[in-house]
Amino acid sequence: MRIGFKITFVLSLVLGFIHCRAQNIFEGYEHLFEPVKTYSVYKIIDEIRIDGLTNEGSWQHAQWSDLFSDIEGNKKPEPLFHARFKMVWNDTVLFILAELEEPNIWAYYDKNDMIVFRENDFEVFIDPDANTHNYFEFEVNARNTLFDLFLEKPYRNGVKPNIDWNAAGFKSAIHVDGTLNNPDDTDKKWTIEMMIPFSALNKENENAFPKNGTTWKINFSRVNWQTEILNGKYTRKKNPETGQLIPEYNWVWSPQGLINMHYPERWGVACFSTNPVNSEKCICHSPDSESSGKYLWLLYYKQSEFKKKNGQYATSLSELNIPENSEENGSKFSIKLQVNENKYQATLNIQGKPAYSINDEGLFKSLKH
């Protein structure tokens, strides 16, 4: 009895240590693993005219998103002004409607592909395949000037964006509830309506043409600057002591956890439904890649930090304090890490079957067939 008690006691200590270790592997990275937002996209019930107005039945029935919050989440104050959006679709086009409260509506950039985030703008980020590669960004200011770009990989992977890329068939329109570029009055809001053809997103993206049940990674951002009036025009405010621009506000739909929109894995999830927008609403569930995939993303973040400190990637999971085998919600999974010189690939197996992989460039793939 005494020997059995000792064995049981020691085993309990070991299991307790393993459990604590598993619980603590995300320590210091919690801000990158807050649950992302979801939104159900339903099909239109009438034709939508891109005019910045909301009088179509499809827009009247579509649900508003949650109000935007700070890009870093709860660690920062709530935005000064509200912003929200709606989405609907048909077989060829994604429609987006956004409403942005603003007491001082201004925009001077008037040529496409000017860098409009140097003024107040509204931004859309779309990754149809949810693999963080081959994704799209659309930025529009209150003057309806478009800055669109395509990125083969996030900036963190040392890739320059393709600014010359243009979204064929893209349309947008602005409605200003107030007056544009007039510092002498107080405005209410500006509304932007977008039409993005799925064909424009067909660059090695299997999900560029959604079907019922298709999910995309997507996020929305609003850049707002503190302003002052010089010579009758709005201008970005500077710190009087340093002469440097005061950093902009970044307000988003699904918080990133850091001041960087180019972490596509942190974007929210859009679920496409073929139900009409005036039908009974379904709940948009995040794919299991959001829950199971977090272990591979933790590995990616830790490998990046490890290389910065050591000049090379870790060759074992133990160096990263990540267990090879674990269990969550009754599902057993294991991680296999392969390192070859200055590259690596990690595979997540669920119940013994390959499910997802990630490499040193953050390319996240589903291995399910």
Side-chain angles (χ1 to χ4, degrees):
M1 294 292 295
R2 185 178 297 274
I3 293 176
F5 171 77
K6 287 184 177 179
I7 292 174
T8 302
F9 178 72
V10 172
L11 181 60
S12 297
L13 286 178
V14 171
L15 291 175
F17 171 76
I18 293 173
H19 176 73
C20 290
R21 186 183 182 195
Q23 292 295 310
N24 292 332
I25 62 174
F26 289 91
E27 185 175 357
Y29 297 87
E30 295 91 345
H31 61 294
L32 294 172
F33 292 96
E34 291 294 322
V36 302
K37 297 286 184 71
T38 61
Y39 185 93
S40 297
V41 190
Y42 296 92
K43 291 202 116 176
I44 63 174
I45 56 175
D46 53 7
E47 293 299 316
I48 291 180
R49 180 180 179 183
I50 305 301
D51 53 11
L53 302 176
T54 63
N55 46 14
E56 291 91 352
S58 294
W59 288 137
Q60 297 299 316
H61 287 283
Q63 60 184 336
W64 281 112
S65 70
D66 292 337
L67 294 175
F68 286 20
S69 56
D70 189 85
I71 192 171
E72 294 185 86
N74 294 332
K75 67 171 61 175
K76 291 293 179 66
E78 288 295 311
L80 300 175
F81 315 119
H82 289 168
R84 56 184 183 171
F85 70 85
K86 295 181 177 184
M87 286 191 290
V88 290
W89 69 299
N90 63 20
D91 290 335
T92 59
V93 169
L94 174 68
F95 298 94
I96 298 171
L97 176 74
E99 180 183 85
L100 299 90
E101 291 183 355
E102 175 60 64
N104 300 293
I105 302 175
W106 63 282
Y108 299 110
Y109 288 1
D110 59 359
K111 294 181 178 59
N112 281 359
D113 286 339
M114 296 183 77
I115 305 176
V116 297
F117 65 75
R118 292 175 180 169
E119 300 183 333
N120 293 350
D121 77 347
F122 175 72
E123 304 177 358
V124 182
F125 300 81
I126 299 176
D127 181 7
D129 284 344
N131 61 7
T132 78
H133 286 42
N134 297 322
Y135 64 89
F136 308 86
E137 180 178 353
F138 304 86
E139 303 181 8
V140 178
N141 67 8
R143 201 168 182 137
N144 200 28
T145 301
L146 170 67
F147 176 37
D148 54 358
L149 54 157
F150 169 74
L151 294 96
E152 293 183 356
K153 304 171 188 177
Y155 292 110
R156 65 192 176 197
N157 299 117
V159 175
K160 292 183 178 181
N162 183 353
I163 297 175
D164 293 331
W165 174 81
N166 293 303
F170 175 95
K171 291 182 181 179
S172 62
I174 304 292
H175 175 73
V176 174
D177 190 351
T179 54
L180 182 67
N181 297 332
N182 183 0
D184 296 327
D185 64 2
T186 300
D187 307 310
K188 292 183 178 180
K189 64 183 178 181
W190 58 290
T191 303
I192 177 170
E193 195 173 20
M194 291 182 175
M195 183 186 84
I196 304 175
F198 298 130
S199 58
L201 309 179
N202 189 25
K203 292 178 75 70
E204 300 182 22
N205 289 301
E206 294 180 1
N207 289 335
F209 298 90
K211 302 175 182 178
N212 187 55
T214 295
T215 59
W216 281 5
K217 293 291 283 182
I218 190 168
N219 212 350
F220 302 84
S221 172
R222 176 184 183 178
V223 171
N224 252 64
W225 295 87
Q226 296 185 45
T227 59
E228 56 187 351
I229 309 302
L230 294 178
N231 300 320
K233 296 181 63 175
Y234 292 103
T235 185
R236 292 180 291 177
K237 187 179 290 186
K238 295 182 179 180
N239 185 315
E241 296 181 359
T242 65
Q244 300 296 314
L245 287 171
I246 297 176
E248 74 279 14
Y249 293 112
N250 292 276
W251 301 325
V252 305
W253 168 53
S254 191
Q256 295 284 110
L258 74 171
I259 306 176
N260 191 333
M261 287 302 298
H262 293 274
Y263 273 52
E265 68 275 12
R266 293 294 306 144
W267 298 348
V269 174
C271 304
F272 288 85
S273 170
T274 52
N275 289 343
V277 71
N278 59 347
S279 65
E280 182 177 351
K281 298 296 185 285
C282 302
I283 298 176
C284 177
H285 294 287
S286 293
D288 65 2
S289 57
E290 291 292 320
S291 54
S292 302
K294 66 184 180 182
Y295 294 95
L296 290 182
W297 282 113
L298 178 65
L299 182 148
Y300 176 81
Y301 299 143
K302 288 192 171 186
Q303 279 285 41
S304 297
E305 290 296 321
F306 191 94
K307 187 177 181 181
K308 287 180 182 178
K309 294 178 180 179
N310 302 283
Q312 61 184 21
Y313 290 118
T315 57
S316 67
L317 293 172
S318 60
E319 293 178 276
L320 302 173
N321 188 31
I322 295 177
E324 181 178 345
N325 299 286
S326 192
E327 183 174 337
E328 184 171 313
N329 299 324
S331 180
K332 295 182 180 180
F333 64 87
S334 62
I335 299 175
K336 302 296 182 183
L337 175 64
Q338 295 178 313
V339 182
N340 183 11
E341 295 181 351
N342 209 31
K343 295 183 178 296
Y344 71 83
Q345 178 164 305
T347 303
L348 179 73
N349 298 306
I350 300 177
Q351 301 293 104
K353 296 181 179 180
Y356 303 102
S357 69
I358 199 168
N359 68 9
D360 51 281
E361 293 189 327
L363 178 61
F364 184 87
K365 290 184 176 182
S366 174
L367 305 178
K368 297 179 180 181
H369 300 288

